[in-house]
Short mmCIF file of all heavy atoms in Angstrom, two decimals:
data_model
loop_
_atom_site.label_atom_id
_atom_site.label_comp_id
_atom_site.label_asym_id
_atom_site.label_seq_id
_atom_site.Cartn_x
_atom_site.Cartn_y
_atom_site.Cartn_z
N SER A 1 -5.39 7.50 -3.21
CA SER A 1 -6.52 6.58 -3.21
C SER A 1 -6.38 5.59 -2.07
O SER A 1 -5.29 5.38 -1.54
CB SER A 1 -6.60 5.82 -4.54
OG SER A 1 -5.46 5.00 -4.73
N LEU A 2 -7.49 5.00 -1.69
CA LEU A 2 -7.54 3.98 -0.66
C LEU A 2 -8.63 3.00 -1.05
O LEU A 2 -9.78 3.40 -1.28
CB LEU A 2 -7.87 4.61 0.70
CG LEU A 2 -8.16 3.67 1.85
CD1 LEU A 2 -6.96 2.79 2.16
CD2 LEU A 2 -8.60 4.45 3.08
N ARG A 3 -8.25 1.72 -1.15
CA ARG A 3 -9.23 0.70 -1.52
C ARG A 3 -9.14 -0.48 -0.57
O ARG A 3 -8.05 -0.99 -0.32
CB ARG A 3 -8.98 0.22 -2.95
CG ARG A 3 -9.24 1.32 -3.96
CD ARG A 3 -9.04 0.88 -5.38
NE ARG A 3 -9.90 -0.25 -5.70
CZ ARG A 3 -9.59 -1.14 -6.64
NH1 ARG A 3 -8.48 -1.03 -7.33
NH2 ARG A 3 -10.40 -2.14 -6.88
N PHE A 4 -10.28 -0.89 -0.05
CA PHE A 4 -10.39 -2.09 0.76
C PHE A 4 -10.87 -3.17 -0.20
O PHE A 4 -12.05 -3.22 -0.56
CB PHE A 4 -11.35 -1.88 1.92
CG PHE A 4 -10.93 -0.74 2.82
CD1 PHE A 4 -11.68 0.42 2.88
CD2 PHE A 4 -9.78 -0.83 3.57
CE1 PHE A 4 -11.31 1.47 3.70
CE2 PHE A 4 -9.39 0.22 4.39
CZ PHE A 4 -10.14 1.37 4.45
N MET A 5 -9.97 -4.03 -0.61
CA MET A 5 -10.24 -4.93 -1.74
C MET A 5 -10.72 -6.33 -1.35
O MET A 5 -11.43 -6.97 -2.11
CB MET A 5 -8.99 -5.02 -2.61
CG MET A 5 -8.57 -3.64 -3.09
SD MET A 5 -7.02 -3.62 -3.96
CE MET A 5 -7.46 -4.49 -5.43
N ARG A 6 -10.30 -6.79 -0.17
CA ARG A 6 -10.68 -8.12 0.29
C ARG A 6 -10.85 -8.09 1.80
O ARG A 6 -10.16 -7.34 2.48
CB ARG A 6 -9.59 -9.13 -0.09
CG ARG A 6 -9.66 -9.48 -1.56
CD ARG A 6 -8.45 -10.22 -2.05
NE ARG A 6 -8.52 -10.28 -3.50
CZ ARG A 6 -8.33 -9.23 -4.31
NH1 ARG A 6 -8.04 -8.05 -3.83
NH2 ARG A 6 -8.44 -9.35 -5.62
N PRO A 7 -11.71 -8.94 2.33
CA PRO A 7 -11.89 -8.96 3.78
C PRO A 7 -10.66 -9.52 4.49
O PRO A 7 -9.94 -10.36 3.95
CB PRO A 7 -13.09 -9.87 3.98
CG PRO A 7 -13.07 -10.78 2.80
CD PRO A 7 -12.54 -9.95 1.66
N VAL A 8 -10.45 -9.03 5.69
CA VAL A 8 -9.39 -9.56 6.55
C VAL A 8 -10.11 -10.18 7.74
O VAL A 8 -10.60 -9.48 8.63
CB VAL A 8 -8.41 -8.45 6.99
CG1 VAL A 8 -7.40 -9.00 7.98
CG2 VAL A 8 -7.71 -7.86 5.77
N ARG A 9 -10.20 -11.49 7.71
CA ARG A 9 -10.91 -12.21 8.75
C ARG A 9 -10.15 -12.16 10.07
O ARG A 9 -8.92 -12.10 10.08
CB ARG A 9 -11.14 -13.65 8.31
CG ARG A 9 -12.16 -13.76 7.18
CD ARG A 9 -12.23 -15.17 6.61
NE ARG A 9 -13.36 -15.34 5.72
CZ ARG A 9 -13.38 -14.95 4.44
NH1 ARG A 9 -12.33 -14.34 3.92
NH2 ARG A 9 -14.45 -15.13 3.70
N SER A 10 -10.88 -12.21 11.15
CA SER A 10 -10.26 -12.20 12.48
C SER A 10 -9.30 -13.37 12.64
O SER A 10 -9.57 -14.48 12.17
CB SER A 10 -11.34 -12.30 13.55
OG SER A 10 -12.19 -11.18 13.49
N GLY A 11 -8.17 -13.08 13.28
CA GLY A 11 -7.21 -14.13 13.60
C GLY A 11 -6.13 -14.38 12.56
O GLY A 11 -5.22 -15.16 12.82
N VAL A 12 -6.20 -13.73 11.40
CA VAL A 12 -5.18 -13.95 10.37
C VAL A 12 -3.98 -13.04 10.62
O VAL A 12 -4.06 -12.06 11.35
CB VAL A 12 -5.73 -13.73 8.94
CG1 VAL A 12 -6.88 -14.67 8.65
CG2 VAL A 12 -6.12 -12.29 8.72
N ARG A 13 -2.86 -13.36 10.00
CA ARG A 13 -1.66 -12.52 10.06
C ARG A 13 -1.63 -11.66 8.81
O ARG A 13 -2.03 -12.09 7.73
CB ARG A 13 -0.41 -13.39 10.15
CG ARG A 13 -0.38 -14.17 11.47
CD ARG A 13 0.88 -14.99 11.63
NE ARG A 13 2.02 -14.08 11.67
CZ ARG A 13 3.21 -14.37 11.15
NH1 ARG A 13 3.43 -15.51 10.56
NH2 ARG A 13 4.19 -13.50 11.23
N ILE A 14 -1.13 -10.44 8.97
CA ILE A 14 -1.02 -9.52 7.84
C ILE A 14 0.41 -9.02 7.71
O ILE A 14 1.19 -9.06 8.66
CB ILE A 14 -1.98 -8.32 7.98
CG1 ILE A 14 -1.72 -7.57 9.30
CG2 ILE A 14 -3.44 -8.74 7.87
CD1 ILE A 14 -2.48 -6.28 9.45
N HIS A 15 0.75 -8.58 6.51
CA HIS A 15 2.02 -7.90 6.28
C HIS A 15 1.78 -6.89 5.17
O HIS A 15 0.74 -6.90 4.51
CB HIS A 15 3.13 -8.90 5.92
CG HIS A 15 2.94 -9.58 4.61
ND1 HIS A 15 3.55 -9.16 3.45
CD2 HIS A 15 2.18 -10.64 4.26
CE1 HIS A 15 3.19 -9.96 2.46
NE2 HIS A 15 2.35 -10.86 2.92
N ALA A 16 2.73 -6.01 4.97
CA ALA A 16 2.56 -4.97 3.95
C ALA A 16 3.88 -4.71 3.25
O ALA A 16 4.96 -4.96 3.79
CB ALA A 16 2.05 -3.68 4.59
N ARG A 17 3.76 -4.20 2.04
CA ARG A 17 4.91 -3.80 1.23
C ARG A 17 4.70 -2.37 0.78
O ARG A 17 3.57 -1.96 0.50
CB ARG A 17 5.04 -4.70 0.01
CG ARG A 17 5.34 -6.14 0.34
CD ARG A 17 5.55 -6.95 -0.93
NE ARG A 17 5.75 -8.34 -0.58
CZ ARG A 17 4.89 -9.31 -0.86
NH1 ARG A 17 3.80 -9.03 -1.54
NH2 ARG A 17 5.13 -10.53 -0.50
N MET A 18 5.80 -1.64 0.68
CA MET A 18 5.73 -0.25 0.24
C MET A 18 6.58 -0.08 -1.02
O MET A 18 7.68 -0.62 -1.11
CB MET A 18 6.27 0.66 1.35
CG MET A 18 6.23 2.13 1.00
SD MET A 18 7.03 3.18 2.26
CE MET A 18 5.93 2.99 3.64
N GLN A 19 6.04 0.67 -1.97
CA GLN A 19 6.74 0.93 -3.22
C GLN A 19 6.70 2.43 -3.51
O GLN A 19 5.64 3.06 -3.38
CB GLN A 19 6.08 0.16 -4.36
CG GLN A 19 6.70 0.37 -5.71
CD GLN A 19 5.99 -0.43 -6.80
OE1 GLN A 19 4.91 -1.00 -6.59
NE2 GLN A 19 6.59 -0.48 -7.95
N LEU A 20 7.83 3.00 -3.89
CA LEU A 20 7.88 4.40 -4.29
C LEU A 20 7.21 4.55 -5.65
O LEU A 20 7.56 3.86 -6.59
CB LEU A 20 9.34 4.88 -4.37
CG LEU A 20 9.55 6.31 -4.84
CD1 LEU A 20 9.01 7.30 -3.83
CD2 LEU A 20 11.03 6.56 -5.10
N LYS A 21 6.22 5.43 -5.73
CA LYS A 21 5.52 5.66 -7.01
C LYS A 21 6.02 6.91 -7.71
O LYS A 21 6.16 6.92 -8.92
CB LYS A 21 4.00 5.77 -6.77
CG LYS A 21 3.36 4.51 -6.21
CD LYS A 21 3.63 3.28 -7.03
CE LYS A 21 2.75 3.20 -8.23
NZ LYS A 21 2.93 1.99 -9.03
N SER A 22 6.27 7.98 -6.94
CA SER A 22 6.76 9.21 -7.58
C SER A 22 7.39 10.12 -6.54
O SER A 22 7.12 10.02 -5.35
CB SER A 22 5.63 9.95 -8.30
OG SER A 22 4.68 10.44 -7.37
N ALA A 23 8.24 11.02 -7.03
CA ALA A 23 8.84 12.07 -6.22
C ALA A 23 8.85 13.33 -7.08
O ALA A 23 9.32 13.31 -8.21
CB ALA A 23 10.26 11.69 -5.80
N GLU A 24 8.29 14.40 -6.53
CA GLU A 24 8.14 15.63 -7.31
C GLU A 24 8.54 16.83 -6.45
O GLU A 24 8.05 17.01 -5.34
CB GLU A 24 6.67 15.77 -7.74
CG GLU A 24 6.35 17.04 -8.45
CD GLU A 24 4.86 17.17 -8.73
OE1 GLU A 24 4.08 16.25 -8.43
OE2 GLU A 24 4.48 18.23 -9.26
N ARG A 25 9.44 17.63 -6.97
CA ARG A 25 9.86 18.85 -6.28
C ARG A 25 8.74 19.88 -6.38
O ARG A 25 8.18 20.09 -7.45
CB ARG A 25 11.13 19.39 -6.95
CG ARG A 25 11.79 20.47 -6.19
CD ARG A 25 12.60 19.83 -5.08
NE ARG A 25 13.43 20.85 -4.47
CZ ARG A 25 13.51 21.02 -3.18
NH1 ARG A 25 12.83 20.25 -2.37
NH2 ARG A 25 14.29 21.93 -2.68
N THR A 26 8.40 20.51 -5.26
CA THR A 26 7.38 21.56 -5.24
C THR A 26 7.96 22.79 -4.56
O THR A 26 9.08 22.75 -4.04
CB THR A 26 6.11 21.11 -4.46
OG1 THR A 26 6.43 21.04 -3.08
CG2 THR A 26 5.59 19.78 -4.96
N ASP A 27 7.20 23.87 -4.53
CA ASP A 27 7.66 25.09 -3.85
C ASP A 27 7.82 24.86 -2.34
O ASP A 27 8.60 25.54 -1.69
CB ASP A 27 6.68 26.25 -4.08
CG ASP A 27 6.68 26.73 -5.52
OD1 ASP A 27 7.67 26.46 -6.24
OD2 ASP A 27 5.69 27.36 -5.93
N ASN A 28 7.07 23.90 -1.78
CA ASN A 28 7.08 23.65 -0.34
C ASN A 28 8.04 22.55 0.09
O ASN A 28 8.22 22.32 1.28
CB ASN A 28 5.68 23.28 0.14
CG ASN A 28 4.69 24.40 -0.10
OD1 ASN A 28 5.06 25.56 -0.02
ND2 ASN A 28 3.46 24.05 -0.38
N GLY A 29 8.61 21.82 -0.85
CA GLY A 29 9.48 20.70 -0.53
C GLY A 29 9.38 19.64 -1.61
O GLY A 29 9.18 19.95 -2.78
N THR A 30 9.48 18.39 -1.22
CA THR A 30 9.39 17.29 -2.18
C THR A 30 8.19 16.43 -1.82
O THR A 30 8.09 15.93 -0.69
CB THR A 30 10.67 16.43 -2.16
OG1 THR A 30 11.79 17.28 -2.45
CG2 THR A 30 10.61 15.32 -3.18
N ARG A 31 7.29 16.26 -2.77
CA ARG A 31 6.09 15.44 -2.55
C ARG A 31 6.39 14.02 -3.03
O ARG A 31 6.80 13.80 -4.16
CB ARG A 31 4.90 16.01 -3.30
CG ARG A 31 3.60 15.30 -2.90
CD ARG A 31 2.43 15.95 -3.53
NE ARG A 31 2.24 15.35 -4.83
CZ ARG A 31 1.13 15.44 -5.53
NH1 ARG A 31 0.13 16.16 -5.09
NH2 ARG A 31 1.03 14.85 -6.69
N ILE A 32 6.19 13.08 -2.13
CA ILE A 32 6.47 11.67 -2.39
C ILE A 32 5.15 10.91 -2.38
O ILE A 32 4.31 11.11 -1.51
CB ILE A 32 7.40 11.07 -1.31
CG1 ILE A 32 8.67 11.89 -1.15
CG2 ILE A 32 7.71 9.60 -1.60
CD1 ILE A 32 9.63 11.81 -2.28
N SER A 33 5.00 10.00 -3.34
CA SER A 33 3.84 9.12 -3.39
C SER A 33 4.32 7.69 -3.22
O SER A 33 5.22 7.24 -3.94
CB SER A 33 3.10 9.28 -4.71
OG SER A 33 2.07 8.33 -4.83
N TYR A 34 3.76 6.99 -2.24
CA TYR A 34 4.05 5.59 -1.99
C TYR A 34 2.80 4.76 -2.21
O TYR A 34 1.70 5.20 -1.91
CB TYR A 34 4.48 5.35 -0.54
CG TYR A 34 5.79 5.96 -0.15
CD1 TYR A 34 5.84 7.07 0.69
CD2 TYR A 34 7.00 5.41 -0.57
CE1 TYR A 34 7.05 7.62 1.09
CE2 TYR A 34 8.21 5.96 -0.18
CZ TYR A 34 8.23 7.06 0.65
OH TYR A 34 9.43 7.60 1.04
N GLU A 35 2.97 3.55 -2.70
CA GLU A 35 1.88 2.59 -2.73
C GLU A 35 2.14 1.56 -1.64
O GLU A 35 3.21 0.95 -1.61
CB GLU A 35 1.79 1.89 -4.08
CG GLU A 35 0.68 0.85 -4.13
CD GLU A 35 0.68 0.09 -5.43
OE1 GLU A 35 1.44 -0.89 -5.54
OE2 GLU A 35 -0.06 0.50 -6.34
N ILE A 36 1.19 1.40 -0.75
CA ILE A 36 1.28 0.40 0.30
C ILE A 36 0.24 -0.67 0.03
O ILE A 36 -0.95 -0.36 -0.10
CB ILE A 36 1.07 1.02 1.69
CG1 ILE A 36 2.16 2.07 1.95
CG2 ILE A 36 1.07 -0.06 2.76
CD1 ILE A 36 1.97 2.85 3.22
N ALA A 37 0.70 -1.90 -0.10
CA ALA A 37 -0.20 -3.03 -0.33
C ALA A 37 -0.16 -3.90 0.92
O ALA A 37 0.90 -4.40 1.30
CB ALA A 37 0.24 -3.83 -1.55
N MET A 38 -1.30 -4.04 1.58
CA MET A 38 -1.41 -4.88 2.77
C MET A 38 -2.04 -6.20 2.36
O MET A 38 -3.09 -6.21 1.70
CB MET A 38 -2.26 -4.18 3.83
CG MET A 38 -2.36 -4.94 5.13
SD MET A 38 -3.39 -4.10 6.35
CE MET A 38 -2.32 -2.76 6.81
N HIS A 39 -1.41 -7.29 2.77
CA HIS A 39 -1.87 -8.63 2.41
C HIS A 39 -2.14 -9.47 3.64
O HIS A 39 -1.48 -9.30 4.66
CB HIS A 39 -0.77 -9.37 1.61
CG HIS A 39 -0.45 -8.78 0.29
ND1 HIS A 39 -0.85 -9.34 -0.88
CD2 HIS A 39 0.23 -7.66 -0.04
CE1 HIS A 39 -0.42 -8.61 -1.89
NE2 HIS A 39 0.24 -7.58 -1.40
N VAL A 40 -3.07 -10.39 3.51
CA VAL A 40 -3.19 -11.47 4.47
C VAL A 40 -2.06 -12.44 4.12
O VAL A 40 -1.85 -12.76 2.94
CB VAL A 40 -4.57 -12.17 4.36
CG1 VAL A 40 -4.60 -13.43 5.20
CG2 VAL A 40 -5.67 -11.20 4.77
N VAL A 41 -1.29 -12.86 5.12
CA VAL A 41 -0.18 -13.77 4.88
C VAL A 41 -0.69 -15.02 4.15
O VAL A 41 -1.69 -15.61 4.54
CB VAL A 41 0.52 -14.16 6.20
CG1 VAL A 41 1.55 -15.26 5.98
CG2 VAL A 41 1.17 -12.92 6.81
N GLY A 42 -0.03 -15.34 3.04
CA GLY A 42 -0.41 -16.50 2.24
C GLY A 42 -1.33 -16.19 1.08
O GLY A 42 -1.57 -17.06 0.24
N GLN A 43 -1.83 -14.95 1.00
CA GLN A 43 -2.69 -14.58 -0.12
C GLN A 43 -1.91 -13.69 -1.09
O GLN A 43 -1.19 -12.78 -0.67
CB GLN A 43 -3.95 -13.87 0.36
CG GLN A 43 -4.88 -14.78 1.11
CD GLN A 43 -6.20 -14.11 1.46
OE1 GLN A 43 -6.44 -12.95 1.13
NE2 GLN A 43 -7.06 -14.84 2.14
N ARG A 44 -2.05 -13.94 -2.37
CA ARG A 44 -1.31 -13.21 -3.39
C ARG A 44 -1.85 -11.80 -3.59
O ARG A 44 -1.09 -10.85 -3.75
CB ARG A 44 -1.37 -13.99 -4.71
CG ARG A 44 -0.53 -13.39 -5.83
CD ARG A 44 -0.60 -14.23 -7.09
NE ARG A 44 -1.93 -14.28 -7.66
CZ ARG A 44 -2.46 -13.35 -8.45
NH1 ARG A 44 -1.78 -12.29 -8.76
NH2 ARG A 44 -3.67 -13.49 -8.93
N LEU A 45 -3.16 -11.65 -3.57
CA LEU A 45 -3.77 -10.36 -3.86
C LEU A 45 -3.94 -9.54 -2.58
O LEU A 45 -4.21 -10.09 -1.51
CB LEU A 45 -5.12 -10.56 -4.56
CG LEU A 45 -5.04 -11.27 -5.90
CD1 LEU A 45 -6.43 -11.59 -6.42
CD2 LEU A 45 -4.26 -10.44 -6.91
#
């Protein structure tokens, strides 16, 4: 999934965090799911 949840106004600083959601062995290898949350610096959500 991909959601644009809040506007990012010009000139602000951003940062992101990554969290491992799942790892599943498949016939082709290992499928990994990460959640990446990008924030405007200073905003909680």
Side-chain angles (χ1 to χ4, degrees):
S1 64
L2 171 62
R3 294 181 58 206
F4 302 112
M5 302 173 69
R6 283 167 190 72
V8 175
R9 289 172 170 80
S10 297
V12 301
R13 295 183 63 215
I14 57 173
H15 67 98
R17 296 184 184 112
M18 181 186 293
Q19 179 180 11
L20 177 67
K21 297 306 281 183
S22 67
E24 176 186 357
R25 190 81 170 132
T26 70
D27 292 339
N28 298 327
T30 303
R31 190 174 87 163
I32 307 290
S33 173
Y34 293 108
E35 178 184 84
I36 299 174
M38 183 181 287
H39 295 254
V40 171
V41 172
Q43 291 186 1
R44 185 178 64 83
L45 298 172

